[in-house]
Amino acid sequence: MSGPPGARGRRTGLLLVLPALVPVVAVVGAALTSALLAALGLAPLVGEPRLTGAAFTAPADQLASAVPLSLAIAAAATAAAAAVGLALALAAVATARRSRLLGALSAATVPVPHLVGAAAMGLLLADAGFLPRLLGVAPEDWPALVGGRWWVAVVAEYAWKESAFVALVVGGVLASRSRSYGETAAVLGAGRWARFRTVTLPLAAPALGAASAISFVYVLGSYEVAALLGRAAPEPLPVLAVRLSTSIDLAARPQGAAVAVVTAGLALLAVVLALRALRRLAAWG
Amino acid sequence: MMTYGPATLTDLVADGTFPGTTRVLTLEEGTFGNASFLAVPSTSGDSAGALVVADLALSPEQQLAKADPATWGQFTVLDLDRLDPADRRGFEQLPASPVVPPYEELAANAQPELSAGWVTALDEGWRRAVLGG
Amino acid sequence: MSGELRLTGLTRVHGRGRPPALDGLDLAVPAGSCVAVLGPSGSGKSTVLRLTAGLDEPTRGSVHLDGRDLAGVPPERRGVAMVFQRPLLFPHLSARDNVAYADRVRGAPRRRARARAAEFLDLVGLAGLGDRAPRELSSGQEQRVALARALAAEPRVLLLDEPFSALDAPLREEMHELLVDLRARLAPTVLLVTHDPAEAAALADTVAVLEAGRLQQHGPVAELHARPASLSVSRLLGGRTEVPGQVRAGVHHSPLGALALPGPVADGPGVLVVRPEAVALAAGHADVTGTVVRVRYRGLRPLVTVDAGGVAVHAELTPGDDVVAGAVVGLRLPVAARHVVPVRPG
């Protein structure tokens, strides 16, 4: 009954996603192409086009600090979002009645813009923010969560927002299957922890992996939260790219494009690695 | 308060924004001068028209109007010695201010503005050493 | 691996003011036997299994396994295993690892659990398919793996919740044969839930008929067929002829006439039921004469409805007994097949 989809089914599927695919390819393709041309010196603001890798080598030392910083922020935020999101999803499917409230809360978080979230996180966590006031901690005793060395507010904002996304995706998958499989495992002798480890987690893994990959790539390429809540130096990739692109030094613009291209390349690499890992997981999904 | 246009203080004192005791602080070690520039992008579609506008902005009439505290109160960039006597008289007849010292006193010991080439380097140093330090 | 299951006064009310899903069920499943709970959908039969497995808590009553009260014991420590209507094979595990699951969660080493799993796969006729992923199996194979997985857990009671009703008829027949073989070899205690009287008859030693949460009758299949306790039991088991009348001195009087009954029955109003397969065309003397109003076929067997004085008599004839609608026929209702169901007061 469930044979492999034939070439015909694949073609129909392709036709169905085409309306979504065309604008994405057009927009992303145009943006990447122009960034690549600018980065390679082929679209200079002044002077003659000349193929050169100078835009990549000139900000090398800044890239050397921006790449690990961006990867670390994205990894930390994604790990936190995945853990919190999974917990939310599990809580939501544990009892049907509570799930509506949790679902509504998660769903309400998703449409809040990151900029608004960042502003709220800044007002909450800054040394003169709501939280230190609530706890009665003097500003000078409060750790530098906003603009500090450890990018706590930035990671917290991304984790908060992405955890709702993860919860929504994972919760949707678990809602339809975790109960029946959980009961099956229980009557086969699996206790609560064994059921979580051997059934719930593997069932959630493909959705959790996909949602985490999307979160990671999003955080890697996202500008506003890092710009608003982050430290001025060192900079993560998107902030570096925007600063170089808007510098009064016109010669820095190709460097901004080069940083953007490096960011896109990293994101692409992350997607490819995630897809390869997911294909193994989704073989049974 | 800090301002790029000290000549406006006369009006601000007159309309009561600042008290009558307001004085301008001059720095003994000297100060950086700051002038407004007009630039025409190399890629401008109509540089001839832009140059006409620039000439107009630098004309004695426009400069005088700009120097009038009732209009803007910015000191002129023109060298008065090289003006027609009639134009020079217009500048000389501008009211003296009880608040703002004359241009000669303010500009004494002033350093010329930094070369534009320093701007990014200074920005970068500030960002790394002060904000990120 | 077979235990004795006893359900006492088992009751489950899902919400205040709602009729109980299950109402005071008493049922004993002797060790090594197979009891089928038969009922239409919504009769509460699945509730029986969920309460037994510990997936749901009874409002009242108790579940005893080998004399031990299972109240408050979680499903994973009850020593029961369950096969559902859907196979529910864990999609991330191979067929072999699905069967090895119970051993693995109990801490058995992987190698030993897999070796045992291979034996159980062999037992259900799937030797050599252990490496397959669930999605690479047919629906019949999937359900065989599910059965092997439940058996490998070595439950003291095996609970089967309509396990074959999603399969098409030939596969269902195969699974029935498999289960009969497994019973012969392993003698597990089985509590089976089904809505199909043929399945109950094929697999179970005794059948408990459930309707609206209440036990109607419990006994061997033959007894339920021959002497249904109520019209609903009769109907559920495929009985169709129902003749209202009066019993006087062991004889049923109705528009069909006076028909002698096989055993002593109390006088008073009663409904005569006769199973269609017991009714035959009369060669000589006819108990009932009437006009054929409908003929349809089940395989080669004609299913005939005869109008006898305003009463519909249903007969499942032998192949070759071809009658046509409109014909006047004589029918024989064997005395041993006549049974009177008392008219329920009210």
Side-chain angles (χ1 to χ4, degrees):
Chain A
M1 202 175 87
S2 58
R8 194 189 152 81
R10 219 170 293 142
R11 205 162 49 227
T12 316
L14 191 66
L15 280 176
L16 282 173
V17 298
L18 220 50
L21 206 60
V22 166
V24 169
V25 168
V27 171
V28 174
L32 272 181
T33 306
S34 62
L36 202 58
L37 288 178
L40 292 173
L42 297 176
L45 219 56
V46 285
E48 289 300 305
R50 195 170 56 86
L51 184 66
T52 168
F56 289 92
T57 49
D61 60 328
Q62 305 190 71
L63 276 173
S65 64
V67 169
L69 176 62
S70 270
L71 290 177
I73 291 174
T78 302
V84 175
L86 179 64
L88 278 174
L90 290 175
V93 295
T95 53
R97 204 170 311 153
R98 245 183 291 160
S99 81
R100 273 195 215 109
L101 180 68
L102 278 169
L105 281 178
S106 299
T109 305
V110 170
V112 174
H114 269 287
L115 200 58
V116 175
M121 204 56 85
L123 293 173
L124 183 71
L125 296 181
D127 55 4
F130 183 68
L131 205 56
R133 279 164 205 257
L134 194 72
L135 299 174
V137 178
E140 59 269 24
D141 297 333
W142 188 254
L145 303 180
V146 173
R149 209 167 282 280
W150 295 103
W151 297 78
V152 175
V154 177
V155 170
E157 201 282 342
Y158 283 128
W160 162 70
K161 188 108 163 59
E162 298 302 316
S163 67
F165 168 70
V166 171
L168 220 56
V169 173
V170 174
V173 170
L174 285 185
S176 59
R177 6 192 359 184
S178 77
R179 188 186 157 104
S180 49
Y181 282 112
E183 289 183 344
T184 305
V187 291
L188 289 169
R192 195 175 278 269
W193 168 241
R195 293 203 290 275
F196 173 75
R197 199 170 46 82
T198 59
V199 177
T200 313
L201 215 50
L203 280 180
L208 187 65
S212 298
I214 292 170
S215 283
F216 184 87
V217 171
Y218 178 84
V219 174
L220 193 68
S222 158
Y223 166 78
E224 65 269 42
V225 178
L228 201 61
L229 299 178
R231 201 168 175 73
E235 295 161 307
L237 287 166
V239 177
L240 176 62
V242 169
R243 184 171 61 76
L244 291 174
S245 300
T246 55
S247 165
I248 60 163
D249 180 7
L250 296 185
R253 273 188 203 191
Q255 297 174 20
V259 174
V261 168
V262 168
T263 311
L266 273 180
L268 194 67
L269 185 69
V271 168
V272 168
L273 290 179
L275 278 181
R276 268 178 54 181
L278 282 175
R279 193 166 301 138
R280 257 182 320 168
L281 284 174
W284 45 267
Chain B
M1 101 170 214
M2 271 174 76
T3 176
Y4 280 118
T8 53
L9 287 173
T10 314
D11 265 10
L12 290 171
V13 170
D15 70 12
T17 305
F18 291 131
T21 53
T22 303
R23 290 292 173 270
V24 172
L25 175 72
T26 53
L27 299 173
E28 284 169 17
E29 295 88 353
T31 181
F32 281 116
N34 175 257
S36 304
F37 292 91
L38 291 173
V40 182
S42 68
T43 53
S44 161
D46 192 355
S47 10
L51 290 173
V52 171
V53 173
D55 279 345
L56 183 68
L58 285 169
S59 67
E61 296 77 30
Q62 291 292 321
Q63 287 286 312
L64 180 61
K66 185 184 163 212
D68 185 351
T71 310
W72 190 347
Q74 286 278 24
F75 296 118
T76 180
V77 295
L78 300 178
D79 183 349
L80 296 187
D81 294 340
R82 295 167 66 181
L83 291 180
D84 290 344
D87 292 333
R88 195 185 308 140
R89 205 169 310 121
F91 283 102
E92 284 163 359
Q93 283 171 1
L94 285 172
S97 168
V99 184
V100 185
Y103 175 76
E104 291 70 28
E105 190 181 325
L106 278 176
N109 214 7
Q111 301 297 318
E113 205 159 0
L114 276 177
S115 153
W118 279 98
V119 174
T120 25
L122 280 174
D123 270 357
E124 190 59 12
W126 174 264
R127 192 178 64 79
R128 282 177 192 240
V130 181
L131 297 179
Chain C
M1 85 185 244
S2 41
E4 186 222 351
L5 180 70
R6 195 156 45 76
L7 312 178
T8 316
L10 208 57
T11 302
R12 179 70 172 95
V13 184
H14 283 297
R16 195 176 287 276
R18 292 175 59 184
L22 191 65
D23 192 359
L25 174 70
D26 294 312
L27 189 66
V29 185
S33 76
C34 176
V35 172
V37 176
L38 180 68
S41 59
S43 60
K45 56 190 193 302
S46 284
T47 306
V48 177
L49 291 196
R50 295 187 63 79
L51 293 175
T52 306
L55 298 174
D56 194 3
E57 304 238 329
T59 309
R60 279 187 300 281
S62 62
V63 178
H64 283 82
L65 186 53
D66 289 333
R68 185 167 81 110
D69 189 351
L70 292 185
V73 178
E76 61 267 25
R77 287 209 292 270
R78 290 199 167 200
V80 303
M82 189 153 163
V83 178
F84 299 86
Q85 184 173 344
R86 293 190 296 141
L88 291 172
L89 299 184
F90 302 124
H92 53 290
L93 300 178
S94 67
R96 182 186 298 109
D97 285 340
N98 261 284
V99 179
Y101 184 84
D103 278 347
R104 289 291 289 147
V105 294
R106 284 176 199 154
R110 186 186 299 270
R111 184 187 294 265
R112 210 178 73 213
R114 284 188 166 166
R116 282 197 69 234
E119 287 171 26
F120 277 95
L121 279 174
D122 192 19
L123 202 62
V124 296
L126 292 182
L129 296 189
D131 288 328
R132 295 239 183 131
R135 68 198 168 89
E136 296 169 330
L137 297 171
S138 70
S139 52
Q141 289 170 335
E142 277 192 283
Q143 202 58 297
R144 280 172 189 258
V145 175
L147 197 56
R149 179 175 65 177
L151 289 170
E154 304 211 315
R156 284 183 288 167
V157 176
L158 181 62
L159 305 174
L160 305 177
D161 189 359
E162 306 242 18
F164 313 129
S165 58
L167 305 177
D168 51 26
L171 272 179
R172 197 157 55 226
E173 292 289 319
E174 271 182 37
M175 294 302 287
H176 289 171
E177 284 173 16
L178 172 65
L179 201 62
V180 169
D181 289 349
L182 289 174
R183 283 198 63 201
R185 292 178 65 171
L186 305 174
T189 306
V190 180
L191 183 55
L192 164 79
V193 151
T194 179
H195 67 271
D196 178 7
E199 183 162 279
L203 299 177
D205 302 315
T206 62
V207 177
V209 178
L210 210 57
E211 196 179 293
R214 300 189 76 100
L215 181 63
Q216 304 293 313
Q217 192 173 2
H218 180 201
V221 185
E223 183 187 310
L224 264 60
H225 274 92
R227 290 185 294 281
S230 66
L231 285 182
S232 61
V233 172
S234 167
R235 284 172 195 159
L236 201 59
L237 290 171
R240 300 198 63 192
T241 306
E242 295 170 5
V243 188
Q246 293 284 336
V247 178
R248 280 193 300 276
V251 177
H252 187 260
H253 299 270
S254 72
L256 291 186
L259 292 169
L261 297 173
V265 177
D267 285 0
V271 179
L272 176 72
V273 295
V274 184
R275 292 196 58 82
E277 62 269 20
V279 180
L281 283 181
H285 164 76
D287 296 313
V288 169
T289 305
T291 312
V292 176
V293 291
R294 193 194 307 125
V295 181
R296 61 193 179 90
Y297 285 87
R298 176 182 295 155
L300 289 173
R301 290 173 164 272
L303 304 179
V304 179
T305 306
V306 174
D307 179 12
V311 175
V313 178
H314 299 269
E316 183 175 335
L317 303 178
T318 47
D321 280 347
D322 292 317
V323 292
V324 291
V328 176
V329 294
L331 297 176
R332 207 162 53 77
L333 312 181
V335 176
R338 299 172 191 170
H339 176 68
V340 169
V341 176
V343 174
R344 221 179 267 164

PDB file of all heavy atoms in Angstrom, chain C residues 6-12 24-26 51 57-64 69 71:
ATOM      1  N   ARG C   6      -8.674 -12.274  37.094  1.00  0.00           N
ATOM      2  CA  ARG C   6     -10.030 -12.195  37.628  1.00  0.00           C
ATOM      3  C   ARG C   6     -10.433 -10.735  37.772  1.00  0.00           C
ATOM      4  O   ARG C   6      -9.737  -9.948  38.426  1.00  0.00           O
ATOM      5  CB  ARG C   6     -10.105 -12.905  38.988  1.00  0.00           C
ATOM      6  CG  ARG C   6     -11.530 -13.198  39.445  1.00  0.00           C
ATOM      7  CD  ARG C   6     -11.535 -14.373  40.435  1.00  0.00           C
ATOM      8  NE  ARG C   6     -10.479 -14.246  41.440  1.00  0.00           N
ATOM      9  CZ  ARG C   6     -10.539 -13.412  42.478  1.00  0.00           C
ATOM     10  NH1 ARG C   6     -11.601 -12.654  42.660  1.00  0.00           N
ATOM     11  NH2 ARG C   6      -9.531 -13.358  43.336  1.00  0.00           N
ATOM     12  N   LEU C   7     -11.524 -10.365  37.126  1.00  0.00           N
ATOM     13  CA  LEU C   7     -12.056  -9.006  37.214  1.00  0.00           C
ATOM     14  C   LEU C   7     -13.293  -9.056  38.099  1.00  0.00           C
ATOM     15  O   LEU C   7     -14.154  -9.910  37.914  1.00  0.00           O
ATOM     16  CB  LEU C   7     -12.435  -8.477  35.823  1.00  0.00           C
ATOM     17  CG  LEU C   7     -11.385  -8.655  34.722  1.00  0.00           C
ATOM     18  CD1 LEU C   7     -11.910  -8.125  33.386  1.00  0.00           C
ATOM     19  CD2 LEU C   7     -10.088  -7.957  35.104  1.00  0.00           C
ATOM     20  N   THR C   8     -13.361  -8.146  39.067  1.00  0.00           N
ATOM     21  CA  THR C   8     -14.466  -8.176  40.015  1.00  0.00           C
ATOM     22  C   THR C   8     -15.124  -6.809  40.096  1.00  0.00           C
ATOM     23  O   THR C   8     -14.471  -5.818  40.442  1.00  0.00           O
ATOM     24  CB  THR C   8     -13.959  -8.558  41.428  1.00  0.00           C
ATOM     25  OG1 THR C   8     -13.052  -9.654  41.291  1.00  0.00           O
ATOM     26  CG2 THR C   8     -15.111  -8.944  42.334  1.00  0.00           C
ATOM     27  N   GLY C   9     -16.396  -6.769  39.750  1.00  0.00           N
ATOM     28  CA  GLY C   9     -17.185  -5.524  39.883  1.00  0.00           C
ATOM     29  C   GLY C   9     -16.552  -4.345  39.181  1.00  0.00           C
ATOM     30  O   GLY C   9     -16.693  -3.200  39.614  1.00  0.00           O
ATOM     31  N   LEU C  10     -15.862  -4.622  38.080  1.00  0.00           N
ATOM     32  CA  LEU C  10     -15.082  -3.571  37.431  1.00  0.00           C
ATOM     33  C   LEU C  10     -16.005  -2.523  36.804  1.00  0.00           C
ATOM     34  O   LEU C  10     -16.872  -2.842  35.985  1.00  0.00           O
ATOM     35  CB  LEU C  10     -14.193  -4.215  36.363  1.00  0.00           C
ATOM     36  CG  LEU C  10     -12.887  -3.488  36.035  1.00  0.00           C
ATOM     37  CD1 LEU C  10     -12.044  -3.314  37.295  1.00  0.00           C
ATOM     38  CD2 LEU C  10     -12.123  -4.256  34.971  1.00  0.00           C
ATOM     39  N   THR C  11     -15.804  -1.271  37.205  1.00  0.00           N
ATOM     40  CA  THR C  11     -16.667  -0.176  36.780  1.00  0.00           C
ATOM     41  C   THR C  11     -15.817   1.017  36.400  1.00  0.00           C
ATOM     42  O   THR C  11     -14.831   1.321  37.063  1.00  0.00           O
ATOM     43  CB  THR C  11     -17.615   0.240  37.928  1.00  0.00           C
ATOM     44  OG1 THR C  11     -18.375  -0.904  38.312  1.00  0.00           O
ATOM     45  CG2 THR C  11     -18.557   1.365  37.494  1.00  0.00           C
ATOM     46  N   ARG C  12     -16.176   1.670  35.311  1.00  0.00           N
ATOM     47  CA  ARG C  12     -15.458   2.892  34.926  1.00  0.00           C
ATOM     48  C   ARG C  12     -16.480   3.924  34.474  1.00  0.00           C
ATOM     49  O   ARG C  12     -17.241   3.700  33.532  1.00  0.00           O
ATOM     50  CB  ARG C  12     -14.481   2.606  33.784  1.00  0.00           C
ATOM     51  CG  ARG C  12     -13.726   3.837  33.322  1.00  0.00           C
ATOM     52  CD  ARG C  12     -12.727   4.281  34.396  1.00  0.00           C
ATOM     53  NE  ARG C  12     -11.832   5.338  33.938  1.00  0.00           N
ATOM     54  CZ  ARG C  12     -12.043   6.643  34.135  1.00  0.00           C
ATOM     55  NH1 ARG C  12     -13.144   7.037  34.765  1.00  0.00           N
ATOM     56  NH2 ARG C  12     -11.180   7.526  33.705  1.00  0.00           N
ATOM     57  N   GLY C  24     -19.803  -2.777  36.582  1.00  0.00           N
ATOM     58  CA  GLY C  24     -19.806  -3.948  37.446  1.00  0.00           C
ATOM     59  C   GLY C  24     -19.494  -5.252  36.745  1.00  0.00           C
ATOM     60  O   GLY C  24     -20.191  -6.260  36.925  1.00  0.00           O
ATOM     61  N   LEU C  25     -18.414  -5.287  35.978  1.00  0.00           N
ATOM     62  CA  LEU C  25     -18.075  -6.507  35.234  1.00  0.00           C
ATOM     63  C   LEU C  25     -17.382  -7.526  36.138  1.00  0.00           C
ATOM     64  O   LEU C  25     -16.394  -7.218  36.790  1.00  0.00           O
ATOM     65  CB  LEU C  25     -17.162  -6.163  34.051  1.00  0.00           C
ATOM     66  CG  LEU C  25     -16.627  -7.362  33.276  1.00  0.00           C
ATOM     67  CD1 LEU C  25     -17.738  -8.041  32.493  1.00  0.00           C
ATOM     68  CD2 LEU C  25     -15.493  -6.949  32.339  1.00  0.00           C
ATOM     69  N   ASP C  26     -17.930  -8.719  36.179  1.00  0.00           N
ATOM     70  CA  ASP C  26     -17.257  -9.850  36.826  1.00  0.00           C
ATOM     71  C   ASP C  26     -16.851 -10.821  35.727  1.00  0.00           C
ATOM     72  O   ASP C  26     -17.681 -11.243  34.934  1.00  0.00           O
ATOM     73  CB  ASP C  26     -18.200 -10.571  37.799  1.00  0.00           C
ATOM     74  CG  ASP C  26     -18.570  -9.700  38.979  1.00  0.00           C
ATOM     75  OD1 ASP C  26     -17.650  -9.103  39.574  1.00  0.00           O
ATOM     76  OD2 ASP C  26     -19.769  -9.588  39.281  1.00  0.00           O
ATOM     77  N   LEU C  51      -8.398  -1.078  31.521  1.00  0.00           N
ATOM     78  CA  LEU C  51      -8.391  -1.196  32.981  1.00  0.00           C
ATOM     79  C   LEU C  51      -7.497  -2.358  33.412  1.00  0.00           C
ATOM     80  O   LEU C  51      -6.771  -2.269  34.404  1.00  0.00           O
ATOM     81  CB  LEU C  51      -9.810  -1.393  33.507  1.00  0.00           C
ATOM     82  CG  LEU C  51     -10.752  -0.199  33.338  1.00  0.00           C
ATOM     83  CD1 LEU C  51     -12.162  -0.564  33.790  1.00  0.00           C
ATOM     84  CD2 LEU C  51     -10.255   0.996  34.134  1.00  0.00           C
ATOM     85  N   GLU C  57      -7.765   3.871  35.154  1.00  0.00           N
ATOM     86  CA  GLU C  57      -8.053   3.437  36.515  1.00  0.00           C
ATOM     87  C   GLU C  57      -9.545   3.164  36.673  1.00  0.00           C
ATOM     88  O   GLU C  57     -10.366   3.964  36.216  1.00  0.00           O
ATOM     89  CB  GLU C  57      -7.656   4.544  37.497  1.00  0.00           C
ATOM     90  CG  GLU C  57      -6.226   4.954  37.371  1.00  0.00           C
ATOM     91  CD  GLU C  57      -5.490   4.766  38.684  1.00  0.00           C
ATOM     92  OE1 GLU C  57      -6.124   4.898  39.741  1.00  0.00           O
ATOM     93  OE2 GLU C  57      -4.283   4.464  38.633  1.00  0.00           O
ATOM     94  N   PRO C  58      -9.892   2.054  37.306  1.00  0.00           N
ATOM     95  CA  PRO C  58     -11.319   1.781  37.500  1.00  0.00           C
ATOM     96  C   PRO C  58     -11.923   2.739  38.521  1.00  0.00           C
ATOM     97  O   PRO C  58     -11.244   3.168  39.454  1.00  0.00           O
ATOM     98  CB  PRO C  58     -11.353   0.341  38.012  1.00  0.00           C
ATOM     99  CG  PRO C  58     -10.007   0.109  38.597  1.00  0.00           C
ATOM    100  CD  PRO C  58      -9.048   0.999  37.851  1.00  0.00           C
ATOM    101  N   THR C  59     -13.202   3.082  38.303  1.00  0.00           N
ATOM    102  CA  THR C  59     -13.913   3.887  39.288  1.00  0.00           C
ATOM    103  C   THR C  59     -14.220   3.022  40.514  1.00  0.00           C
ATOM    104  O   THR C  59     -14.110   3.459  41.650  1.00  0.00           O
ATOM    105  CB  THR C  59     -15.229   4.412  38.683  1.00  0.00           C
ATOM    106  OG1 THR C  59     -14.928   5.017  37.430  1.00  0.00           O
ATOM    107  CG2 THR C  59     -15.874   5.443  39.586  1.00  0.00           C
ATOM    108  N   ARG C  60     -14.606   1.771  40.232  1.00  0.00           N
ATOM    109  CA  ARG C  60     -14.821   0.789  41.303  1.00  0.00           C
ATOM    110  C   ARG C  60     -14.363  -0.565  40.791  1.00  0.00           C
ATOM    111  O   ARG C  60     -14.162  -0.754  39.587  1.00  0.00           O
ATOM    112  CB  ARG C  60     -16.316   0.699  41.667  1.00  0.00           C
ATOM    113  CG  ARG C  60     -16.823   1.774  42.593  1.00  0.00           C
ATOM    114  CD  ARG C  60     -18.275   1.486  43.018  1.00  0.00           C
ATOM    115  NE  ARG C  60     -19.182   1.423  41.877  1.00  0.00           N
ATOM    116  CZ  ARG C  60     -19.660   2.503  41.258  1.00  0.00           C
ATOM    117  NH1 ARG C  60     -19.320   3.710  41.656  1.00  0.00           N
ATOM    118  NH2 ARG C  60     -20.470   2.367  40.235  1.00  0.00           N
ATOM    119  N   GLY C  61     -14.229  -1.502  41.706  1.00  0.00           N
ATOM    120  CA  GLY C  61     -13.903  -2.860  41.303  1.00  0.00           C
ATOM    121  C   GLY C  61     -12.413  -3.105  41.275  1.00  0.00           C
ATOM    122  O   GLY C  61     -11.614  -2.201  41.523  1.00  0.00           O
ATOM    123  N   SER C  62     -12.041  -4.356  40.986  1.00  0.00           N
ATOM    124  CA  SER C  62     -10.633  -4.696  41.085  1.00  0.00           C
ATOM    125  C   SER C  62     -10.217  -5.661  39.987  1.00  0.00           C
ATOM    126  O   SER C  62     -11.045  -6.331  39.367  1.00  0.00           O
ATOM    127  CB  SER C  62     -10.344  -5.325  42.452  1.00  0.00           C
ATOM    128  OG  SER C  62     -11.085  -6.516  42.554  1.00  0.00           O
ATOM    129  N   VAL C  63      -8.896  -5.663  39.744  1.00  0.00           N
ATOM    130  CA  VAL C  63      -8.281  -6.584  38.813  1.00  0.00           C
ATOM    131  C   VAL C  63      -7.293  -7.434  39.602  1.00  0.00           C
ATOM    132  O   VAL C  63      -6.420  -6.893  40.278  1.00  0.00           O
ATOM    133  CB  VAL C  63      -7.527  -5.823  37.695  1.00  0.00           C
ATOM    134  CG1 VAL C  63      -6.838  -6.804  36.757  1.00  0.00           C
ATOM    135  CG2 VAL C  63      -8.469  -4.907  36.934  1.00  0.00           C
ATOM    136  N   HIS C  64      -7.485  -8.759  39.578  1.00  0.00           N
ATOM    137  CA  HIS C  64      -6.548  -9.641  40.262  1.00  0.00           C
ATOM    138  C   HIS C  64      -5.846 -10.509  39.248  1.00  0.00           C
ATOM    139  O   HIS C  64      -6.478 -11.074  38.349  1.00  0.00           O
ATOM    140  CB  HIS C  64      -7.269 -10.538  41.277  1.00  0.00           C
ATOM    141  CG  HIS C  64      -7.644  -9.823  42.531  1.00  0.00           C
ATOM    142  ND1 HIS C  64      -8.779  -9.037  42.629  1.00  0.00           N
ATOM    143  CD2 HIS C  64      -7.038  -9.764  43.745  1.00  0.00           C
ATOM    144  CE1 HIS C  64      -8.857  -8.528  43.840  1.00  0.00           C
ATOM    145  NE2 HIS C  64      -7.803  -8.944  44.544  1.00  0.00           N
ATOM    146  N   ASP C  69      -3.889  -8.257  43.863  1.00  0.00           N
ATOM    147  CA  ASP C  69      -4.667  -7.083  43.451  1.00  0.00           C
ATOM    148  C   ASP C  69      -3.747  -6.107  42.734  1.00  0.00           C
ATOM    149  O   ASP C  69      -2.706  -5.716  43.260  1.00  0.00           O
ATOM    150  CB  ASP C  69      -5.281  -6.425  44.696  1.00  0.00           C
ATOM    151  CG  ASP C  69      -6.272  -5.331  44.321  1.00  0.00           C
ATOM    152  OD1 ASP C  69      -6.349  -4.987  43.118  1.00  0.00           O
ATOM    153  OD2 ASP C  69      -6.968  -4.837  45.225  1.00  0.00           O
ATOM    154  N   ALA C  71      -4.440  -3.012  41.900  1.00  0.00           N
ATOM    155  CA  ALA C  71      -4.777  -1.599  42.089  1.00  0.00           C
ATOM    156  C   ALA C  71      -3.503  -0.797  42.338  1.00  0.00           C
ATOM    157  O   ALA C  71      -2.678  -1.159  43.183  1.00  0.00           O
ATOM    158  CB  ALA C  71      -5.743  -1.456  43.262  1.00  0.00           C
TER     159      ALA C  71
END
